[in-house]
Amino acid sequence: MVVVLGLDPGSRVTGYGIVAETSGCLSLVEAGTIRPPAKRDLPYRLGKIYSGLAEIISRHAPQESALENVFVYKNVQSALKLGQARGAALAACTVAGLPVAEYEPTKVKKSIVGVGNAPKDQVAFMVARLLGVANPDWAEDASDALAVAICHLNQRRLNHLAGL
Amino acid sequence: MVVVLGLDPGSRVTGYGIVAETSGCLSLVEAGTIRPPAKRDLPYRLGKIYSGLAEIISRHAPQESALENVFVYKNVQSALKLGQARGAALAACTVAGLPVAEYEPTKVKKSIVGVGNAPKDQVAFMVARLLGVANPDWAEDASDALAVAICHLNQRRLNHLAGL
């Protein structure tokens, strides 16, 4: 069994999704969001992102982690803010010894629905379908995190088939 | 005695400087840099920034931390990279329970040499002078971290005098 932690870091909401694969079958382990108190300052919220993820990693012991490699930002300030959230999240993964894989957003979508430019709700629908969950109650950020976890598991299988 | 950790986070070099104040007298506790292996990927290096600072915090038990509040970047990519280093560093501070204070670079310079637009070597000279170190062997990033720690201790004293 391989267990992968998918992440969608953000300074207000950090989505996470843990997916297990056993003999080619995917199953949901846990999905959710970390939402540090909005009234506290950014450094405090970054600490909560770190410690929240550290707790989730210690509870489910995923072997690998994955997130989207985002290159487009509205402006320098939003890049700085998102960068700090990513920094706290990535530190939590690598301090726990998890390798981190990064994927282009189009690659994640293609891995889930077959095309790279699909609308968000189509991807969310297929994420639930692939995990066999009829009425998902997870937030959008959690769904995005599950998508990148599934993408990574697909990529691992392709690498394995290709003998990489 | 108050012990303050000053930080100058960067994805390649993170400077730190710990300064103690006893009855208005400043003294150097430790200054140095964290330099994660340059050949490893960014997530790994972020983990090393986090765990390096966590170790330093646990060894010296500073009560507060401070860093410069930088708003100007060459471009979005450098903002994202610096943001991630800052995120890992700030998470290490707040997970350890340290409050984080941020200061404008001009404020730090003014606090050390009396003017906000002083050249870097003048600030470095005065940092060593204020700490009573004749031949400092620390790196530039460590000196910058010491500067913001001293600035924070000055600000604390001013706040105290003003009854804040």
Side-chain angles (χ1 to χ4, degrees), chain A residues 43-44 46-47 50 71 73 76-77 79-80 83-84 86-88 90 94-95 100, chain B residues 43-44 46-47 50 71 73 76-77 79-80 83-84 86-88 90 94-95 100:
Chain A
Y44 180 87
L46 296 171
Y50 181 95
F71 277 110
Y73 299 95
V76 168
Q77 277 310 306
L80 179 65
Q84 292 182 85
R86 281 176 71 91
L90 291 174
T94 56
V95 166
V100 176
Chain B
Y44 180 87
L46 297 171
Y50 182 95
F71 276 110
Y73 299 94
V76 169
Q77 276 310 305
L80 179 64
Q84 292 182 85
R86 280 176 71 92
L90 292 174
T94 56
V95 165
V100 177

PDB file of all heavy atoms in Angstrom, chain A residues 43-44 46-47 50 71 73 76-77 79-80 83-84 86-88 90 94-95 100, chain B residues 43-44 46-47 50 71 73 76-77 79-80 83-84 86-88 90 94-95 100:
ATOM      1  N   PRO A  43       2.455  35.280  10.732  1.00  0.00           N
ATOM      2  CA  PRO A  43       3.396  34.320  11.337  1.00  0.00           C
ATOM      3  C   PRO A  43       2.692  33.264  12.194  1.00  0.00           C
ATOM      4  O   PRO A  43       3.004  32.071  12.100  1.00  0.00           O
ATOM      5  CB  PRO A  43       4.312  35.211  12.190  1.00  0.00           C
ATOM      6  CG  PRO A  43       4.297  36.529  11.495  1.00  0.00           C
ATOM      7  CD  PRO A  43       2.895  36.672  10.965  1.00  0.00           C
ATOM      8  N   TYR A  44       1.717  33.682  12.997  1.00  0.00           N
ATOM      9  CA  TYR A  44       0.977  32.726  13.822  1.00  0.00           C
ATOM     10  C   TYR A  44       0.251  31.700  12.950  1.00  0.00           C
ATOM     11  O   TYR A  44       0.290  30.494  13.213  1.00  0.00           O
ATOM     12  CB  TYR A  44      -0.035  33.487  14.695  1.00  0.00           C
ATOM     13  CG  TYR A  44      -0.857  32.594  15.587  1.00  0.00           C
ATOM     14  CD1 TYR A  44      -0.398  32.218  16.841  1.00  0.00           C
ATOM     15  CD2 TYR A  44      -2.094  32.111  15.162  1.00  0.00           C
ATOM     16  CE1 TYR A  44      -1.151  31.382  17.654  1.00  0.00           C
ATOM     17  CE2 TYR A  44      -2.850  31.278  15.974  1.00  0.00           C
ATOM     18  CZ  TYR A  44      -2.382  30.914  17.218  1.00  0.00           C
ATOM     19  OH  TYR A  44      -3.129  30.090  18.017  1.00  0.00           O
ATOM     20  N   LEU A  46       1.026  30.754   9.955  1.00  0.00           N
ATOM     21  CA  LEU A  46       1.995  29.849   9.336  1.00  0.00           C
ATOM     22  C   LEU A  46       2.380  28.725  10.304  1.00  0.00           C
ATOM     23  O   LEU A  46       2.522  27.562   9.897  1.00  0.00           O
ATOM     24  CB  LEU A  46       3.256  30.626   8.926  1.00  0.00           C
ATOM     25  CG  LEU A  46       3.044  31.695   7.855  1.00  0.00           C
ATOM     26  CD1 LEU A  46       4.309  32.536   7.690  1.00  0.00           C
ATOM     27  CD2 LEU A  46       2.644  31.076   6.527  1.00  0.00           C
ATOM     28  N   GLY A  47       2.525  29.065  11.577  1.00  0.00           N
ATOM     29  CA  GLY A  47       2.819  28.042  12.591  1.00  0.00           C
ATOM     30  C   GLY A  47       1.696  27.017  12.676  1.00  0.00           C
ATOM     31  O   GLY A  47       1.941  25.818  12.841  1.00  0.00           O
ATOM     32  N   TYR A  50       1.911  24.656   9.736  1.00  0.00           N
ATOM     33  CA  TYR A  50       2.968  23.667   9.988  1.00  0.00           C
ATOM     34  C   TYR A  50       2.509  22.598  10.986  1.00  0.00           C
ATOM     35  O   TYR A  50       2.580  21.404  10.713  1.00  0.00           O
ATOM     36  CB  TYR A  50       4.232  24.359  10.521  1.00  0.00           C
ATOM     37  CG  TYR A  50       5.348  23.378  10.758  1.00  0.00           C
ATOM     38  CD1 TYR A  50       6.324  23.162   9.787  1.00  0.00           C
ATOM     39  CD2 TYR A  50       5.417  22.630  11.934  1.00  0.00           C
ATOM     40  CE1 TYR A  50       7.328  22.230   9.985  1.00  0.00           C
ATOM     41  CE2 TYR A  50       6.411  21.699  12.137  1.00  0.00           C
ATOM     42  CZ  TYR A  50       7.371  21.499  11.166  1.00  0.00           C
ATOM     43  OH  TYR A  50       8.350  20.568  11.374  1.00  0.00           O
ATOM     44  N   PHE A  71       2.803  28.954 -11.044  1.00  0.00           N
ATOM     45  CA  PHE A  71       3.731  29.974 -11.518  1.00  0.00           C
ATOM     46  C   PHE A  71       3.068  31.323 -11.783  1.00  0.00           C
ATOM     47  O   PHE A  71       3.733  32.298 -12.050  1.00  0.00           O
ATOM     48  CB  PHE A  71       4.436  29.514 -12.803  1.00  0.00           C
ATOM     49  CG  PHE A  71       5.614  28.646 -12.531  1.00  0.00           C
ATOM     50  CD1 PHE A  71       5.590  27.298 -12.828  1.00  0.00           C
ATOM     51  CD2 PHE A  71       6.754  29.186 -11.956  1.00  0.00           C
ATOM     52  CE1 PHE A  71       6.688  26.493 -12.566  1.00  0.00           C
ATOM     53  CE2 PHE A  71       7.855  28.387 -11.697  1.00  0.00           C
ATOM     54  CZ  PHE A  71       7.821  27.046 -12.002  1.00  0.00           C
ATOM     55  N   TYR A  73       0.739  34.467 -10.636  1.00  0.00           N
ATOM     56  CA  TYR A  73       0.181  35.182  -9.499  1.00  0.00           C
ATOM     57  C   TYR A  73      -0.371  36.507  -9.964  1.00  0.00           C
ATOM     58  O   TYR A  73       0.120  37.088 -10.921  1.00  0.00           O
ATOM     59  CB  TYR A  73       1.258  35.432  -8.438  1.00  0.00           C
ATOM     60  CG  TYR A  73       1.800  34.159  -7.933  1.00  0.00           C
ATOM     61  CD1 TYR A  73       2.949  33.625  -8.481  1.00  0.00           C
ATOM     62  CD2 TYR A  73       1.119  33.441  -6.965  1.00  0.00           C
ATOM     63  CE1 TYR A  73       3.433  32.420  -8.051  1.00  0.00           C
ATOM     64  CE2 TYR A  73       1.592  32.227  -6.529  1.00  0.00           C
ATOM     65  CZ  TYR A  73       2.750  31.725  -7.073  1.00  0.00           C
ATOM     66  OH  TYR A  73       3.216  30.524  -6.653  1.00  0.00           O
ATOM     67  N   VAL A  76       3.009  40.672  -6.899  1.00  0.00           N
ATOM     68  CA  VAL A  76       4.131  40.278  -6.049  1.00  0.00           C
ATOM     69  C   VAL A  76       3.670  40.028  -4.613  1.00  0.00           C
ATOM     70  O   VAL A  76       4.131  39.099  -3.953  1.00  0.00           O
ATOM     71  CB  VAL A  76       5.222  41.372  -6.103  1.00  0.00           C
ATOM     72  CG1 VAL A  76       6.263  41.143  -5.031  1.00  0.00           C
ATOM     73  CG2 VAL A  76       5.894  41.379  -7.470  1.00  0.00           C
ATOM     74  N   GLN A  77       2.732  40.833  -4.115  1.00  0.00           N
ATOM     75  CA  GLN A  77       2.258  40.646  -2.740  1.00  0.00           C
ATOM     76  C   GLN A  77       1.560  39.307  -2.550  1.00  0.00           C
ATOM     77  O   GLN A  77       1.740  38.645  -1.539  1.00  0.00           O
ATOM     78  CB  GLN A  77       1.318  41.788  -2.324  1.00  0.00           C
ATOM     79  CG  GLN A  77       2.056  43.023  -1.840  1.00  0.00           C
ATOM     80  CD  GLN A  77       3.118  42.707  -0.788  1.00  0.00           C
ATOM     81  OE1 GLN A  77       2.854  42.081   0.224  1.00  0.00           O
ATOM     82  NE2 GLN A  77       4.341  43.107  -1.062  1.00  0.00           N
ATOM     83  N   ALA A  79       2.094  36.657  -4.363  1.00  0.00           N
ATOM     84  CA  ALA A  79       3.124  35.625  -4.487  1.00  0.00           C
ATOM     85  C   ALA A  79       3.864  35.464  -3.159  1.00  0.00           C
ATOM     86  O   ALA A  79       4.151  34.344  -2.725  1.00  0.00           O
ATOM     87  CB  ALA A  79       4.119  35.988  -5.596  1.00  0.00           C
ATOM     88  N   LEU A  80       4.143  36.576  -2.507  1.00  0.00           N
ATOM     89  CA  LEU A  80       4.849  36.520  -1.230  1.00  0.00           C
ATOM     90  C   LEU A  80       4.011  35.814  -0.168  1.00  0.00           C
ATOM     91  O   LEU A  80       4.489  34.963   0.573  1.00  0.00           O
ATOM     92  CB  LEU A  80       5.190  37.941  -0.770  1.00  0.00           C
ATOM     93  CG  LEU A  80       5.912  38.036   0.564  1.00  0.00           C
ATOM     94  CD1 LEU A  80       7.281  37.391   0.493  1.00  0.00           C
ATOM     95  CD2 LEU A  80       6.049  39.492   0.989  1.00  0.00           C
ATOM     96  N   GLY A  83       3.661  32.204  -1.074  1.00  0.00           N
ATOM     97  CA  GLY A  83       4.973  31.588  -0.868  1.00  0.00           C
ATOM     98  C   GLY A  83       5.194  31.225   0.589  1.00  0.00           C
ATOM     99  O   GLY A  83       5.701  30.142   0.893  1.00  0.00           O
ATOM    100  N   GLN A  84       4.799  32.100   1.492  1.00  0.00           N
ATOM    101  CA  GLN A  84       5.005  31.823   2.916  1.00  0.00           C
ATOM    102  C   GLN A  84       4.173  30.630   3.374  1.00  0.00           C
ATOM    103  O   GLN A  84       4.646  29.790   4.140  1.00  0.00           O
ATOM    104  CB  GLN A  84       4.709  33.082   3.739  1.00  0.00           C
ATOM    105  CG  GLN A  84       5.748  34.154   3.473  1.00  0.00           C
ATOM    106  CD  GLN A  84       5.552  35.425   4.280  1.00  0.00           C
ATOM    107  OE1 GLN A  84       5.987  35.532   5.410  1.00  0.00           O
ATOM    108  NE2 GLN A  84       4.878  36.387   3.696  1.00  0.00           N
ATOM    109  N   ARG A  86       3.172  28.156   1.434  1.00  0.00           N
ATOM    110  CA  ARG A  86       3.830  26.984   0.845  1.00  0.00           C
ATOM    111  C   ARG A  86       5.067  26.598   1.646  1.00  0.00           C
ATOM    112  O   ARG A  86       5.345  25.418   1.845  1.00  0.00           O
ATOM    113  CB  ARG A  86       4.265  27.272  -0.598  1.00  0.00           C
ATOM    114  CG  ARG A  86       3.162  27.184  -1.626  1.00  0.00           C
ATOM    115  CD  ARG A  86       3.705  27.587  -2.997  1.00  0.00           C
ATOM    116  NE  ARG A  86       4.600  26.599  -3.563  1.00  0.00           N
ATOM    117  CZ  ARG A  86       4.221  25.601  -4.346  1.00  0.00           C
ATOM    118  NH1 ARG A  86       2.949  25.456  -4.659  1.00  0.00           N
ATOM    119  NH2 ARG A  86       5.090  24.750  -4.820  1.00  0.00           N
ATOM    120  N   GLY A  87       5.833  27.595   2.077  1.00  0.00           N
ATOM    121  CA  GLY A  87       7.062  27.330   2.821  1.00  0.00           C
ATOM    122  C   GLY A  87       6.783  26.577   4.113  1.00  0.00           C
ATOM    123  O   GLY A  87       7.484  25.613   4.448  1.00  0.00           O
ATOM    124  N   ALA A  88       5.751  27.012   4.840  1.00  0.00           N
ATOM    125  CA  ALA A  88       5.399  26.339   6.094  1.00  0.00           C
ATOM    126  C   ALA A  88       4.935  24.907   5.814  1.00  0.00           C
ATOM    127  O   ALA A  88       5.314  23.964   6.516  1.00  0.00           O
ATOM    128  CB  ALA A  88       4.307  27.126   6.815  1.00  0.00           C
ATOM    129  N   LEU A  90       5.593  22.958   3.100  1.00  0.00           N
ATOM    130  CA  LEU A  90       6.665  22.102   2.580  1.00  0.00           C
ATOM    131  C   LEU A  90       7.642  21.725   3.684  1.00  0.00           C
ATOM    132  O   LEU A  90       8.150  20.594   3.718  1.00  0.00           O
ATOM    133  CB  LEU A  90       7.390  22.807   1.428  1.00  0.00           C
ATOM    134  CG  LEU A  90       6.548  22.975   0.158  1.00  0.00           C
ATOM    135  CD1 LEU A  90       7.288  23.816  -0.877  1.00  0.00           C
ATOM    136  CD2 LEU A  90       6.191  21.618  -0.430  1.00  0.00           C
ATOM    137  N   THR A  94       8.937  17.886   4.616  1.00  0.00           N
ATOM    138  CA  THR A  94      10.314  17.391   4.537  1.00  0.00           C
ATOM    139  C   THR A  94      10.929  17.171   5.922  1.00  0.00           C
ATOM    140  O   THR A  94      11.775  16.289   6.070  1.00  0.00           O
ATOM    141  CB  THR A  94      11.212  18.313   3.678  1.00  0.00           C
ATOM    142  OG1 THR A  94      11.189  19.646   4.188  1.00  0.00           O
ATOM    143  CG2 THR A  94      10.723  18.332   2.235  1.00  0.00           C
ATOM    144  N   VAL A  95      10.492  17.932   6.932  1.00  0.00           N
ATOM    145  CA  VAL A  95      10.976  17.650   8.291  1.00  0.00           C
ATOM    146  C   VAL A  95      10.504  16.245   8.712  1.00  0.00           C
ATOM    147  O   VAL A  95      11.214  15.527   9.409  1.00  0.00           O
ATOM    148  CB  VAL A  95      10.502  18.733   9.291  1.00  0.00           C
ATOM    149  CG1 VAL A  95      10.692  18.287  10.735  1.00  0.00           C
ATOM    150  CG2 VAL A  95      11.270  20.039   9.058  1.00  0.00           C
ATOM    151  N   VAL A 100       8.724  15.406  -1.761  1.00  0.00           N
ATOM    152  CA  VAL A 100       7.670  16.280  -2.275  1.00  0.00           C
ATOM    153  C   VAL A 100       7.735  16.282  -3.804  1.00  0.00           C
ATOM    154  O   VAL A 100       8.795  16.558  -4.375  1.00  0.00           O
ATOM    155  CB  VAL A 100       7.846  17.730  -1.771  1.00  0.00           C
ATOM    156  CG1 VAL A 100       6.798  18.644  -2.385  1.00  0.00           C
ATOM    157  CG2 VAL A 100       7.801  17.799  -0.253  1.00  0.00           C
TER     158      VAL A 100
ATOM    159  N   PRO B  43      12.017  22.194  -1.429  1.00  0.00           N
ATOM    160  CA  PRO B  43      11.297  21.668  -0.251  1.00  0.00           C
ATOM    161  C   PRO B  43      12.240  21.117   0.823  1.00  0.00           C
ATOM    162  O   PRO B  43      12.066  21.386   2.013  1.00  0.00           O
ATOM    163  CB  PRO B  43      10.415  20.557  -0.850  1.00  0.00           C
ATOM    164  CG  PRO B  43      10.169  20.997  -2.247  1.00  0.00           C
ATOM    165  CD  PRO B  43      11.454  21.654  -2.681  1.00  0.00           C
ATOM    166  N   TYR B  44      13.269  20.382   0.398  1.00  0.00           N
ATOM    167  CA  TYR B  44      14.238  19.837   1.352  1.00  0.00           C
ATOM    168  C   TYR B  44      14.932  20.966   2.111  1.00  0.00           C
ATOM    169  O   TYR B  44      15.093  20.914   3.333  1.00  0.00           O
ATOM    170  CB  TYR B  44      15.265  18.983   0.601  1.00  0.00           C
ATOM    171  CG  TYR B  44      16.318  18.370   1.506  1.00  0.00           C
ATOM    172  CD1 TYR B  44      16.105  17.144   2.136  1.00  0.00           C
ATOM    173  CD2 TYR B  44      17.529  19.021   1.732  1.00  0.00           C
ATOM    174  CE1 TYR B  44      17.069  16.592   2.965  1.00  0.00           C
ATOM    175  CE2 TYR B  44      18.493  18.475   2.569  1.00  0.00           C
ATOM    176  CZ  TYR B  44      18.254  17.258   3.180  1.00  0.00           C
ATOM    177  OH  TYR B  44      19.208  16.719   4.002  1.00  0.00           O
ATOM    178  N   LEU B  46      13.848  23.956   2.657  1.00  0.00           N
ATOM    179  CA  LEU B  46      12.908  24.607   3.580  1.00  0.00           C
ATOM    180  C   LEU B  46      12.826  23.826   4.894  1.00  0.00           C
ATOM    181  O   LEU B  46      12.764  24.416   5.980  1.00  0.00           O
ATOM    182  CB  LEU B  46      11.520  24.708   2.933  1.00  0.00           C
ATOM    183  CG  LEU B  46      11.441  25.577   1.676  1.00  0.00           C
ATOM    184  CD1 LEU B  46      10.076  25.426   1.018  1.00  0.00           C
ATOM    185  CD2 LEU B  46      11.716  27.041   2.005  1.00  0.00           C
ATOM    186  N   GLY B  47      12.834  22.504   4.789  1.00  0.00           N
ATOM    187  CA  GLY B  47      12.816  21.678   6.003  1.00  0.00           C
ATOM    188  C   GLY B  47      14.053  21.914   6.850  1.00  0.00           C
ATOM    189  O   GLY B  47      13.981  21.941   8.089  1.00  0.00           O
ATOM    190  N   TYR B  50      13.702  25.183   8.700  1.00  0.00           N
ATOM    191  CA  TYR B  50      12.819  24.984   9.853  1.00  0.00           C
ATOM    192  C   TYR B  50      13.544  24.270  10.984  1.00  0.00           C
ATOM    193  O   TYR B  50      13.571  24.739  12.135  1.00  0.00           O
ATOM    194  CB  TYR B  50      11.569  24.182   9.457  1.00  0.00           C
ATOM    195  CG  TYR B  50      10.628  23.994  10.612  1.00  0.00           C
ATOM    196  CD1 TYR B  50       9.561  24.857  10.819  1.00  0.00           C
ATOM    197  CD2 TYR B  50      10.831  22.976  11.548  1.00  0.00           C
ATOM    198  CE1 TYR B  50       8.712  24.708  11.898  1.00  0.00           C
ATOM    199  CE2 TYR B  50      10.005  22.828  12.648  1.00  0.00           C
ATOM    200  CZ  TYR B  50       8.944  23.691  12.805  1.00  0.00           C
ATOM    201  OH  TYR B  50       8.117  23.545  13.896  1.00  0.00           O
ATOM    202  N   PHE B  71       9.264  44.579   1.212  1.00  0.00           N
ATOM    203  CA  PHE B  71       8.145  44.730   0.277  1.00  0.00           C
ATOM    204  C   PHE B  71       8.587  44.814  -1.178  1.00  0.00           C
ATOM    205  O   PHE B  71       7.765  44.802  -2.070  1.00  0.00           O
ATOM    206  CB  PHE B  71       7.328  45.972   0.621  1.00  0.00           C
ATOM    207  CG  PHE B  71       6.317  45.706   1.680  1.00  0.00           C
ATOM    208  CD1 PHE B  71       6.454  46.243   2.946  1.00  0.00           C
ATOM    209  CD2 PHE B  71       5.229  44.890   1.409  1.00  0.00           C
ATOM    210  CE1 PHE B  71       5.516  45.988   3.929  1.00  0.00           C
ATOM    211  CE2 PHE B  71       4.283  44.635   2.382  1.00  0.00           C
ATOM    212  CZ  PHE B  71       4.429  45.180   3.655  1.00  0.00           C
ATOM    213  N   TYR B  73      10.654  43.418  -4.409  1.00  0.00           N
ATOM    214  CA  TYR B  73      11.288  42.246  -5.007  1.00  0.00           C
ATOM    215  C   TYR B  73      11.580  42.521  -6.456  1.00  0.00           C
ATOM    216  O   TYR B  73      10.894  43.306  -7.092  1.00  0.00           O
ATOM    217  CB  TYR B  73      10.368  41.022  -4.907  1.00  0.00           C
ATOM    218  CG  TYR B  73      10.079  40.699  -3.492  1.00  0.00           C
ATOM    219  CD1 TYR B  73       8.947  41.195  -2.883  1.00  0.00           C
ATOM    220  CD2 TYR B  73      10.977  39.946  -2.751  1.00  0.00           C
ATOM    221  CE1 TYR B  73       8.693  40.937  -1.554  1.00  0.00           C
ATOM    222  CE2 TYR B  73      10.735  39.686  -1.431  1.00  0.00           C
ATOM    223  CZ  TYR B  73       9.590  40.186  -0.838  1.00  0.00           C
ATOM    224  OH  TYR B  73       9.352  39.937   0.462  1.00  0.00           O
ATOM    225  N   VAL B  76       8.213  38.357  -9.503  1.00  0.00           N
ATOM    226  CA  VAL B  76       7.293  37.458  -8.813  1.00  0.00           C
ATOM    227  C   VAL B  76       7.992  36.162  -8.400  1.00  0.00           C
ATOM    228  O   VAL B  76       7.753  35.633  -7.315  1.00  0.00           O
ATOM    229  CB  VAL B  76       6.077  37.177  -9.719  1.00  0.00           C
ATOM    230  CG1 VAL B  76       5.238  36.048  -9.174  1.00  0.00           C
ATOM    231  CG2 VAL B  76       5.210  38.427  -9.842  1.00  0.00           C
ATOM    232  N   GLN B  77       8.882  35.657  -9.238  1.00  0.00           N
ATOM    233  CA  GLN B  77       9.568  34.400  -8.901  1.00  0.00           C
ATOM    234  C   GLN B  77      10.454  34.544  -7.666  1.00  0.00           C
ATOM    235  O   GLN B  77      10.508  33.653  -6.821  1.00  0.00           O
ATOM    236  CB  GLN B  77      10.417  33.899 -10.087  1.00  0.00           C
ATOM    237  CG  GLN B  77       9.614  33.107 -11.102  1.00  0.00           C
ATOM    238  CD  GLN B  77       8.771  32.018 -10.453  1.00  0.00           C
ATOM    239  OE1 GLN B  77       9.268  31.175  -9.725  1.00  0.00           O
ATOM    240  NE2 GLN B  77       7.473  32.056 -10.703  1.00  0.00           N
ATOM    241  N   ALA B  79       9.993  36.727  -5.293  1.00  0.00           N
ATOM    242  CA  ALA B  79       9.072  36.912  -4.160  1.00  0.00           C
ATOM    243  C   ALA B  79       8.570  35.555  -3.674  1.00  0.00           C
ATOM    244  O   ALA B  79       8.484  35.299  -2.472  1.00  0.00           O
ATOM    245  CB  ALA B  79       7.895  37.796  -4.559  1.00  0.00           C
ATOM    246  N   LEU B  80       8.262  34.677  -4.614  1.00  0.00           N
ATOM    247  CA  LEU B  80       7.751  33.353  -4.249  1.00  0.00           C
ATOM    248  C   LEU B  80       8.817  32.549  -3.504  1.00  0.00           C
ATOM    249  O   LEU B  80       8.555  31.917  -2.484  1.00  0.00           O
ATOM    250  CB  LEU B  80       7.310  32.605  -5.507  1.00  0.00           C
ATOM    251  CG  LEU B  80       6.788  31.198  -5.283  1.00  0.00           C
ATOM    252  CD1 LEU B  80       5.516  31.219  -4.445  1.00  0.00           C
ATOM    253  CD2 LEU B  80       6.525  30.503  -6.604  1.00  0.00           C
ATOM    254  N   GLY B  83       9.478  34.137  -0.183  1.00  0.00           N
ATOM    255  CA  GLY B  83       8.294  33.891   0.641  1.00  0.00           C
ATOM    256  C   GLY B  83       8.325  32.508   1.265  1.00  0.00           C
ATOM    257  O   GLY B  83       8.004  32.335   2.442  1.00  0.00           O
ATOM    258  N   GLN B  84       8.749  31.511   0.498  1.00  0.00           N
ATOM    259  CA  GLN B  84       8.782  30.145   1.029  1.00  0.00           C
ATOM    260  C   GLN B  84       9.812  30.025   2.150  1.00  0.00           C
ATOM    261  O   GLN B  84       9.574  29.360   3.159  1.00  0.00           O
ATOM    262  CB  GLN B  84       9.035  29.151  -0.096  1.00  0.00           C
ATOM    263  CG  GLN B  84       7.839  29.102  -1.042  1.00  0.00           C
ATOM    264  CD  GLN B  84       8.004  28.102  -2.172  1.00  0.00           C
ATOM    265  OE1 GLN B  84       7.727  26.934  -2.027  1.00  0.00           O
ATOM    266  NE2 GLN B  84       8.476  28.576  -3.299  1.00  0.00           N
ATOM    267  N   ARG B  86      10.821  32.491   4.099  1.00  0.00           N
ATOM    268  CA  ARG B  86      10.234  33.199   5.239  1.00  0.00           C
ATOM    269  C   ARG B  86       9.176  32.344   5.925  1.00  0.00           C
ATOM    270  O   ARG B  86       9.073  32.329   7.153  1.00  0.00           O
ATOM    271  CB  ARG B  86       9.560  34.500   4.779  1.00  0.00           C
ATOM    272  CG  ARG B  86      10.499  35.649   4.542  1.00  0.00           C
ATOM    273  CD  ARG B  86       9.720  36.849   3.996  1.00  0.00           C
ATOM    274  NE  ARG B  86       8.864  37.457   5.005  1.00  0.00           N
ATOM    275  CZ  ARG B  86       9.244  38.463   5.780  1.00  0.00           C
ATOM    276  NH1 ARG B  86      10.438  38.971   5.669  1.00  0.00           N
ATOM    277  NH2 ARG B  86       8.414  38.963   6.679  1.00  0.00           N
ATOM    278  N   GLY B  87       8.367  31.643   5.142  1.00  0.00           N
ATOM    279  CA  GLY B  87       7.289  30.814   5.705  1.00  0.00           C
ATOM    280  C   GLY B  87       7.844  29.721   6.607  1.00  0.00           C
ATOM    281  O   GLY B  87       7.323  29.486   7.706  1.00  0.00           O
ATOM    282  N   ALA B  88       8.913  29.056   6.146  1.00  0.00           N
ATOM    283  CA  ALA B  88       9.522  27.994   6.956  1.00  0.00           C
ATOM    284  C   ALA B  88      10.110  28.587   8.241  1.00  0.00           C
ATOM    285  O   ALA B  88       9.958  28.027   9.333  1.00  0.00           O
ATOM    286  CB  ALA B  88      10.605  27.280   6.150  1.00  0.00           C
ATOM    287  N   LEU B  90       9.317  31.519   9.790  1.00  0.00           N
ATOM    288  CA  LEU B  90       8.292  32.052  10.700  1.00  0.00           C
ATOM    289  C   LEU B  90       7.536  30.928  11.394  1.00  0.00           C
ATOM    290  O   LEU B  90       7.188  31.039  12.575  1.00  0.00           O
ATOM    291  CB  LEU B  90       7.324  32.960   9.932  1.00  0.00           C
ATOM    292  CG  LEU B  90       7.947  34.263   9.428  1.00  0.00           C
ATOM    293  CD1 LEU B  90       6.967  35.033   8.558  1.00  0.00           C
ATOM    294  CD2 LEU B  90       8.376  35.129  10.613  1.00  0.00           C
ATOM    295  N   THR B  94       6.888  30.551  15.479  1.00  0.00           N
ATOM    296  CA  THR B  94       5.583  30.553  16.153  1.00  0.00           C
ATOM    297  C   THR B  94       5.204  29.175  16.692  1.00  0.00           C
ATOM    298  O   THR B  94       4.506  29.086  17.695  1.00  0.00           O
ATOM    299  CB  THR B  94       4.465  31.119  15.250  1.00  0.00           C
ATOM    300  OG1 THR B  94       4.415  30.371  14.031  1.00  0.00           O
ATOM    301  CG2 THR B  94       4.728  32.583  14.919  1.00  0.00           C
ATOM    302  N   VAL B  95       5.695  28.095  16.041  1.00  0.00           N
ATOM    303  CA  VAL B  95       5.452  26.760  16.611  1.00  0.00           C
ATOM    304  C   VAL B  95       6.139  26.662  17.978  1.00  0.00           C
ATOM    305  O   VAL B  95       5.625  26.024  18.908  1.00  0.00           O
ATOM    306  CB  VAL B  95       5.926  25.645  15.651  1.00  0.00           C
ATOM    307  CG1 VAL B  95       6.014  24.297  16.352  1.00  0.00           C
ATOM    308  CG2 VAL B  95       4.979  25.542  14.455  1.00  0.00           C
ATOM    309  N   VAL B 100       6.462  37.255  16.823  1.00  0.00           N
ATOM    310  CA  VAL B 100       7.311  37.734  15.728  1.00  0.00           C
ATOM    311  C   VAL B 100       7.022  39.209  15.488  1.00  0.00           C
ATOM    312  O   VAL B 100       5.872  39.591  15.290  1.00  0.00           O
ATOM    313  CB  VAL B 100       7.027  36.949  14.425  1.00  0.00           C
ATOM    314  CG1 VAL B 100       7.856  37.512  13.280  1.00  0.00           C
ATOM    315  CG2 VAL B 100       7.299  35.459  14.613  1.00  0.00           C
TER     316      VAL B 100
END
